[in-house]
Amino acid sequence: MLPKFAYIRPSKLDEAVTQLRQEGSSVHAGGTDLLGCLRERIIDSKTVVSISGLEELKGIKKTNDGLQIGALTTITEISEDSLVKKNFPGLSQAAAEVASPQLRNQGTIGGNLCQKPRCWYYRGEFHCLRKGGEKCFALAGENQFHAIFGHNHICAITHPSDTAPVLVACDGVVHVAGPDGNRKIAVKDLHVLPQDDVRKETVLKQGEIITHITVPAASAGHYSSYRKIRARRAWDFALAGVALVLTMDGDRISRAAVVLSGAAPIPWRSTAAEEELKNKPLTAQTIAAASAAAVADAQPFSKNSYKIEMFQGVLEEELFKAGEKIAP
Ligand SMILES: Cc1cc2nc3c(=O)[nH]c(=O)nc-3n(C[C@H](O)[C@H](O)[C@H](O)COP(=O)(O)OP(=O)(O)OC[C@H]3O[C@@H](n4cnc5c(N)ncnc54)[C@H](O)[C@@H]3O)c2cc1C
Ligand code: SF4
């Protein structure tokens, strides 16, 4: 059952920011994650502030520098938008992989970036470290769907968003309005590692609202893709996923971004794989080296070492696919 809370639906952004300044108030966008979190007492809110009436936070447009995506744009709109499909196919593919059609129609991109993790201890009745308890139950427990990177043996959630890895790979930036004014945060800096603060998922402060996301224009020779492996064909979070952005200069890769999903508590940038790709042609040898490098420093637990081969295989497949599509 949902607990009792006050519900406010301001029609102006500054009103929403003012309401959200109060400790114990939460942003409500599509509500697909928030309502579950309130019901499960993961979030304890006295006031829920709906931003759904803020028209300026909706829609996708082309700007001089690239694309601007309002935080209230639905995941379906992103997956179907022709500008996104043309400029950043990887983002469109990632959006299409999110949840189910109903959830994509209701869920927004802002909420997708800020959603809470799906660890079953956290969502269940376990007072674990992330909820302020004493220990992480996953480290020596049922960790088959947990992280193999970035957990530092503190908390092994995997970051749940499918769109965030692509936005990291495309150098996306979130624009935030808050009590101290507006600020910009690179999507790569939005999420928090357990070693920095195990209680927080994003660097957003109380009262801050993501208003929109910008993605710089794709340069010539730009290729992007997203691939997700899940346990079930129906809706499910990523067991292993890869967001890939390559910029080609002739037959060589001038820029490579490899960001893994289902891998770590944040979208996991594999700089080791990127180093193996940079300034090289996309040959079988380069692909093998990059895919091996991506998993070289994995730290699996007792039940999730299968993810190592899975990540290596999925990256290899995605790079071969890229090679076929961008061959000069
Ligand atoms: C059954 C199920 C399956 C799912 N499967 C997937 C999946 O496969 N892949 C995936 O990526 N996601 C998945 N999700 C998550 C879903 O995509 C997200 O819940 C949705 O995108 C969140 O958007 P929302 O607008 O509903 O957010 P809300 O539920 O309204 O909010 C989610 C969180 O973000 C905060 N928030 C929302 N908007 C803003 C904003 N503009 N600024 C600051 N904070 C904000 C809220 O306070 C809240 O904490 C699933 C969810 C469910 C329930
Ligand atoms: S992985 Fe994180 S969220 Fe899950 S039980 Fe451990 S501390 Fe809690």
mmCIF file of all heavy atoms in Angstrom, residues 13 16 23 34 40 64 67 76 103 107 111 139 185-186 210 213 237 244-245 249 256 258 270 275 314 322:
data_model
loop_
_atom_site.group_PDB
_atom_site.id
_atom_site.type_symbol
_atom_site.label_atom_id
_atom_site.label_comp_id
_atom_site.label_asym_id
_atom_site.label_seq_id
_atom_site.Cartn_x
_atom_site.Cartn_y
_atom_site.Cartn_z
ATOM 1 N N LEU A 13 8.366 26.014 -13.308
ATOM 2 C CA LEU A 13 9.585 25.332 -12.874
ATOM 3 C C LEU A 13 10.085 25.876 -11.528
ATOM 4 O O LEU A 13 10.438 25.095 -10.630
ATOM 5 C CB LEU A 13 10.672 25.488 -13.957
ATOM 6 C CG LEU A 13 12.016 24.842 -13.685
ATOM 7 C CD1 LEU A 13 11.895 23.332 -13.494
ATOM 8 C CD2 LEU A 13 12.996 25.133 -14.838
ATOM 9 N N ALA A 16 8.172 24.494 -8.709
ATOM 10 C CA ALA A 16 8.533 23.091 -8.434
ATOM 11 C C ALA A 16 9.829 23.040 -7.626
ATOM 12 O O ALA A 16 9.938 22.289 -6.647
ATOM 13 C CB ALA A 16 8.689 22.329 -9.750
ATOM 14 N N GLU A 23 13.388 18.936 2.583
ATOM 15 C CA GLU A 23 13.828 17.552 2.801
ATOM 16 C C GLU A 23 12.576 16.670 2.840
ATOM 17 O O GLU A 23 11.552 17.081 3.398
ATOM 18 C CB GLU A 23 14.561 17.517 4.145
ATOM 19 C CG GLU A 23 15.644 16.474 4.325
ATOM 20 C CD GLU A 23 16.745 16.489 3.269
ATOM 21 O OE1 GLU A 23 17.402 17.513 3.036
ATOM 22 O OE2 GLU A 23 16.931 15.406 2.685
ATOM 23 N N LEU A 34 9.055 5.689 -9.191
ATOM 24 C CA LEU A 34 8.832 6.374 -7.905
ATOM 25 C C LEU A 34 7.723 5.707 -7.089
ATOM 26 O O LEU A 34 7.872 5.467 -5.885
ATOM 27 C CB LEU A 34 8.489 7.847 -8.145
ATOM 28 C CG LEU A 34 8.251 8.612 -6.855
ATOM 29 C CD1 LEU A 34 9.566 8.929 -6.151
ATOM 30 C CD2 LEU A 34 7.476 9.888 -7.081
ATOM 31 N N GLU A 40 7.288 0.388 -1.614
ATOM 32 C CA GLU A 40 8.220 -0.533 -0.957
ATOM 33 C C GLU A 40 8.998 0.154 0.168
ATOM 34 O O GLU A 40 9.906 -0.441 0.745
ATOM 35 C CB GLU A 40 9.196 -1.104 -2.004
ATOM 36 C CG GLU A 40 8.533 -2.068 -2.986
ATOM 37 C CD GLU A 40 9.246 -2.129 -4.343
ATOM 38 O OE1 GLU A 40 10.377 -1.633 -4.452
ATOM 39 O OE2 GLU A 40 8.643 -2.659 -5.293
ATOM 40 N N ASN A 64 21.751 24.332 -32.575
ATOM 41 C CA ASN A 64 22.971 24.567 -33.366
ATOM 42 C C ASN A 64 24.066 23.574 -33.007
ATOM 43 O O ASN A 64 24.926 23.261 -33.816
ATOM 44 C CB ASN A 64 23.507 25.980 -33.101
ATOM 45 C CG ASN A 64 22.565 26.991 -33.708
ATOM 46 O OD1 ASN A 64 21.808 26.663 -34.624
ATOM 47 N ND2 ASN A 64 22.596 28.212 -33.191
ATOM 48 N N LEU A 67 21.429 17.904 -30.249
ATOM 49 C CA LEU A 67 20.020 17.632 -29.908
ATOM 50 C C LEU A 67 19.735 18.033 -28.470
ATOM 51 O O LEU A 67 20.595 17.901 -27.595
ATOM 52 C CB LEU A 67 19.733 16.131 -30.010
ATOM 53 C CG LEU A 67 19.445 15.506 -31.356
ATOM 54 C CD1 LEU A 67 18.892 14.099 -31.147
ATOM 55 C CD2 LEU A 67 18.476 16.336 -32.179
ATOM 56 N N THR A 76 9.250 6.162 -25.193
ATOM 57 C CA THR A 76 8.713 5.822 -26.525
ATOM 58 C C THR A 76 9.040 6.916 -27.529
ATOM 59 O O THR A 76 9.473 6.630 -28.655
ATOM 60 C CB THR A 76 7.165 5.656 -26.455
ATOM 61 O OG1 THR A 76 6.881 4.588 -25.569
ATOM 62 C CG2 THR A 76 6.562 5.366 -27.816
ATOM 63 N N LEU A 103 5.313 0.834 -20.131
ATOM 64 C CA LEU A 103 6.249 1.599 -19.285
ATOM 65 C C LEU A 103 7.013 2.629 -20.117
ATOM 66 O O LEU A 103 7.312 3.719 -19.639
ATOM 67 C CB LEU A 103 7.221 0.653 -18.576
ATOM 68 C CG LEU A 103 6.586 -0.161 -17.447
ATOM 69 C CD1 LEU A 103 7.415 -1.390 -17.118
ATOM 70 C CD2 LEU A 103 6.422 0.702 -16.202
ATOM 71 N N GLY A 107 7.058 6.255 -18.861
ATOM 72 C CA GLY A 107 8.347 6.626 -18.260
ATOM 73 C C GLY A 107 9.052 7.699 -19.078
ATOM 74 O O GLY A 107 8.955 7.738 -20.295
ATOM 75 N N GLY A 111 13.473 10.458 -15.539
ATOM 76 C CA GLY A 111 13.250 9.401 -14.554
ATOM 77 C C GLY A 111 14.110 8.181 -14.841
ATOM 78 O O GLY A 111 14.566 7.501 -13.923
ATOM 79 N N LEU A 139 27.009 -9.478 -1.492
ATOM 80 C CA LEU A 139 28.425 -9.837 -1.669
ATOM 81 C C LEU A 139 28.644 -11.339 -1.471
ATOM 82 O O LEU A 139 29.378 -11.969 -2.227
ATOM 83 C CB LEU A 139 29.328 -9.033 -0.720
ATOM 84 C CG LEU A 139 29.278 -7.504 -0.866
ATOM 85 C CD1 LEU A 139 30.328 -6.850 0.026
ATOM 86 C CD2 LEU A 139 29.469 -7.062 -2.315
ATOM 87 N N ILE A 185 25.716 18.990 -15.819
ATOM 88 C CA ILE A 185 26.528 17.851 -15.352
ATOM 89 C C ILE A 185 26.679 16.882 -16.531
ATOM 90 O O ILE A 185 25.672 16.475 -17.127
ATOM 91 C CB ILE A 185 25.820 17.095 -14.189
ATOM 92 C CG1 ILE A 185 25.420 18.050 -13.063
ATOM 93 C CG2 ILE A 185 26.693 15.971 -13.656
ATOM 94 C CD1 ILE A 185 24.395 17.466 -12.093
ATOM 95 N N ALA A 186 27.893 16.534 -16.862
ATOM 96 C CA ALA A 186 28.096 15.514 -17.904
ATOM 97 C C ALA A 186 27.434 14.222 -17.416
ATOM 98 O O ALA A 186 27.553 13.884 -16.220
ATOM 99 C CB ALA A 186 29.582 15.304 -18.141
ATOM 100 N N ILE A 210 16.254 17.714 -13.207
ATOM 101 C CA ILE A 210 16.827 17.692 -14.564
ATOM 102 C C ILE A 210 15.781 18.311 -15.483
ATOM 103 O O ILE A 210 14.615 17.880 -15.480
ATOM 104 C CB ILE A 210 17.148 16.257 -15.034
ATOM 105 C CG1 ILE A 210 18.213 15.627 -14.131
ATOM 106 C CG2 ILE A 210 17.595 16.249 -16.492
ATOM 107 C CD1 ILE A 210 18.566 14.185 -14.481
ATOM 108 N N ILE A 213 18.346 17.300 -21.491
ATOM 109 C CA ILE A 213 19.635 16.645 -21.772
ATOM 110 C C ILE A 213 20.072 17.130 -23.138
ATOM 111 O O ILE A 213 19.245 17.209 -24.061
ATOM 112 C CB ILE A 213 19.461 15.105 -21.788
ATOM 113 C CG1 ILE A 213 19.002 14.641 -20.403
ATOM 114 C CG2 ILE A 213 20.740 14.390 -22.183
ATOM 115 C CD1 ILE A 213 17.782 13.795 -20.439
ATOM 116 N N PHE A 237 15.760 -6.116 -17.025
ATOM 117 C CA PHE A 237 16.926 -5.236 -16.998
ATOM 118 C C PHE A 237 18.121 -5.956 -17.621
ATOM 119 O O PHE A 237 18.107 -7.171 -17.765
ATOM 120 C CB PHE A 237 17.209 -4.805 -15.548
ATOM 121 C CG PHE A 237 16.126 -3.922 -15.007
ATOM 122 C CD1 PHE A 237 14.979 -4.460 -14.433
ATOM 123 C CD2 PHE A 237 16.218 -2.548 -15.127
ATOM 124 C CE1 PHE A 237 13.965 -3.649 -13.972
ATOM 125 C CE2 PHE A 237 15.201 -1.724 -14.675
ATOM 126 C CZ PHE A 237 14.073 -2.275 -14.090
ATOM 127 N N LEU A 244 27.995 1.553 -27.814
ATOM 128 C CA LEU A 244 29.203 1.738 -28.616
ATOM 129 C C LEU A 244 29.066 3.017 -29.424
ATOM 130 O O LEU A 244 28.037 3.229 -30.068
ATOM 131 C CB LEU A 244 29.281 0.535 -29.571
ATOM 132 C CG LEU A 244 30.590 0.184 -30.225
ATOM 133 C CD1 LEU A 244 31.649 -0.084 -29.185
ATOM 134 C CD2 LEU A 244 30.383 -1.060 -31.103
ATOM 135 N N VAL A 245 30.080 3.880 -29.344
ATOM 136 C CA VAL A 245 30.125 5.028 -30.249
ATOM 137 C C VAL A 245 31.521 5.061 -30.857
ATOM 138 O O VAL A 245 32.529 5.123 -30.138
ATOM 139 C CB VAL A 245 29.830 6.362 -29.519
ATOM 140 C CG1 VAL A 245 30.080 7.536 -30.448
ATOM 141 C CG2 VAL A 245 28.386 6.400 -29.030
ATOM 142 N N ASP A 249 37.860 7.666 -39.135
ATOM 143 C CA ASP A 249 38.604 8.569 -40.006
ATOM 144 C C ASP A 249 39.223 7.658 -41.058
ATOM 145 O O ASP A 249 40.237 7.004 -40.794
ATOM 146 C CB ASP A 249 39.670 9.291 -39.163
ATOM 147 C CG ASP A 249 40.437 10.302 -40.003
ATOM 148 O OD1 ASP A 249 40.082 10.478 -41.181
ATOM 149 O OD2 ASP A 249 41.395 10.886 -39.462
ATOM 150 N N ALA A 256 36.700 6.269 -29.777
ATOM 151 C CA ALA A 256 35.887 5.099 -29.399
ATOM 152 C C ALA A 256 35.344 5.305 -27.998
ATOM 153 O O ALA A 256 36.071 5.717 -27.092
ATOM 154 C CB ALA A 256 36.735 3.835 -29.429
ATOM 155 N N VAL A 258 33.168 2.978 -25.269
ATOM 156 C CA VAL A 258 32.574 1.667 -24.967
ATOM 157 C C VAL A 258 32.037 1.757 -23.541
ATOM 158 O O VAL A 258 32.813 1.929 -22.598
ATOM 159 C CB VAL A 258 33.634 0.543 -25.054
ATOM 160 C CG1 VAL A 258 33.030 -0.795 -24.661
ATOM 161 C CG2 VAL A 258 34.261 0.480 -26.449
ATOM 162 N N SER A 270 34.544 1.471 -20.416
ATOM 163 C CA SER A 270 35.700 0.587 -20.498
ATOM 164 C C SER A 270 36.823 1.303 -21.234
ATOM 165 O O SER A 270 36.967 1.192 -22.458
ATOM 166 C CB SER A 270 35.334 -0.715 -21.209
ATOM 167 O OG SER A 270 36.489 -1.512 -21.276
ATOM 168 N N GLU A 275 41.078 2.081 -25.470
ATOM 169 C CA GLU A 275 42.502 2.233 -25.823
ATOM 170 C C GLU A 275 42.902 1.249 -26.926
ATOM 171 O O GLU A 275 43.694 1.568 -27.801
ATOM 172 C CB GLU A 275 43.391 1.994 -24.586
ATOM 173 C CG GLU A 275 43.429 3.177 -23.640
ATOM 174 C CD GLU A 275 43.830 4.482 -24.331
ATOM 175 O OE1 GLU A 275 44.796 4.473 -25.106
ATOM 176 O OE2 GLU A 275 43.147 5.494 -24.104
ATOM 177 N N VAL A 314 29.534 -10.204 -26.217
ATOM 178 C CA VAL A 314 28.600 -9.208 -26.764
ATOM 179 C C VAL A 314 29.377 -8.025 -27.358
ATOM 180 O O VAL A 314 29.014 -7.487 -28.411
ATOM 181 C CB VAL A 314 27.536 -8.786 -25.721
ATOM 182 C CG1 VAL A 314 28.068 -7.873 -24.653
ATOM 183 C CG2 VAL A 314 26.363 -8.111 -26.385
ATOM 184 N N ALA A 322 29.586 -3.506 -36.207
ATOM 185 C CA ALA A 322 29.988 -2.137 -36.579
ATOM 186 C C ALA A 322 30.896 -2.191 -37.789
ATOM 187 O O ALA A 322 30.746 -1.403 -38.740
ATOM 188 C CB ALA A 322 30.696 -1.468 -35.406
#
